[in-house]
Amino acid sequence: NAGVTQTPKFQVLKTGQSMTLQCAQDMNHEYMSWYRQDPGMGLRLIHYSVGAGITDQGEVPNGYNVSRSTTEDFPLRLLSAAPSQTSVYFCASRWGQGAGGYTFGSGTRLTVV
Amino acid sequence: GNSVTQMEGPVTLSEEAFLTINCTYTATGYPSLFWYVQYPGEGLQLLLKATKADDKGSNKGFEATYRKETTSFHLEKGSVQVSDSAVYFCALTTPPRGGSNYKLTFGKGTLLTVNP
């Protein structure tokens, strides 16, 4: 099925470890973004990309890196995990120009111990 | 900046009850408004949207009307079912100043539980 695919679904890291959360979409969407969801905080934008080779920071970018080498993929890297990065991470991509709707992946639940 | 305020939950209703989840917003420019739903263990799904004043978005029995004069986008359903139990998020985007980065701003979410 077409959509946004995130891997892994669950991950436990030790403080200081690094990892990459994968996100891929097969809808040829130009706009992709990463959000984190924390209890009582809603969803907050980490990084976003408006096309291959173009990325920018969102609301809470510290501790995260991104790159966009292809239209399909938008990985999120944690270089040195911290307990404050324990969260559920969602990747989303957008269809249409203007105020189009977003398609979300099913999420990655990350725990940093 | 943009912000979304929605009623805090949790909201607990009996099946067939009437549902209202309040949402108000502050935005620069002319926003488009959305309701997203998140079922347990899943990602967010677009439930409905409205892009201009007085538009009514509707889907699966849910409705919301874009009220510019009160900066509101309240979600309603006449008769809820157990399967409607989920977290509901109000969100908005506004036209960017150049570029195409229509960023979503979310409310904190409202947990709805519907009992049989």
Side-chain angles (χ1 to χ4, degrees), chain A residues 37 40 48 90 94 99 102, chain B residues 32 36 38 89 100-102 108:
Chain A
Q37 182 181 26
Y48 67 94
F90 289 100
R94 178 169 65 80
Y102 292 74
Chain B
S32 292
Y36 282 84
Q38 182 180 30
F89 292 93
S100 61
N101 50 328
Y102 280 79
K108 294 184 177 180

Side-chain angles (χ1 to χ4, degrees), chain B residues 32-98:
Chain B
S32 292
L33 304 173
F34 305 86
W35 277 100
Y36 282 84
V37 57
Q38 182 180 30
Y39 298 104
E42 299 184 10
L44 278 73
Q45 302 175 24
L46 179 64
L47 181 60
L48 54 85
K49 70 170 185 171
T51 58
K52 61 182 186 295
D54 299 325
D55 266 1
K56 178 184 285 186
S58 61
N59 186 24
K60 299 181 180 179
F62 291 89
E63 293 182 340
T65 300
Y66 188 145
R67 299 291 187 198
K68 191 169 187 288
E69 64 275 13
T70 55
T71 62
S72 65
F73 193 55
H74 305 320
L75 182 68
E76 296 182 337
K77 187 174 185 182
S79 177
V80 294
Q81 306 299 312
V82 172
S83 57
D84 294 326
S85 298
V87 181
Y88 292 82
F89 292 93
C90 187
L92 67 82
T93 61
T94 53
R97 295 179 182 176

Side-chain angles (χ1 to χ4, degrees), chain A:
Chain A
N1 291 336
V4 178
T5 302
Q6 290 184 239
T7 56
K9 290 190 181 300
F10 301 95
Q11 183 71 48
V12 178
L13 287 179
K14 293 182 179 179
T15 298
Q17 286 185 317
S18 63
M19 79 159 296
T20 299
L21 280 63
Q22 302 291 343
C23 175
Q25 54 91 8
D26 57 2
M27 298 170 285
N28 202 33
H29 289 173
E30 289 188 343
Y31 184 95
M32 297 184 73
S33 54
W34 278 101
Y35 290 86
R36 59 177 289 173
Q37 182 181 26
D38 301 294
M41 301 290 289
L43 281 83
R44 294 179 291 170
L45 181 65
I46 304 171
H47 285 285
Y48 67 94
S49 168
V50 299
I54 307 169
T55 64
D56 204 348
Q57 296 180 351
E59 185 183 355
V60 288
N62 292 340
Y64 307 95
N65 282 347
V66 292
S67 60
R68 184 93 179 272
S69 56
T70 66
T71 299
E72 294 77 19
D73 300 299
F74 190 44
L76 179 71
R77 297 183 184 86
L78 285 71
L79 297 181
S80 179
S84 60
Q85 295 178 304
T86 294
S87 186
V88 181
Y89 291 84
F90 289 100
C91 181
S93 68
R94 178 169 65 80
W95 51 265
Q97 295 299 314
Y102 292 74
T103 301
F104 281 79
S106 58
T108 295
R109 183 174 294 275
L110 175 68
T111 302
V112 182
V113 298

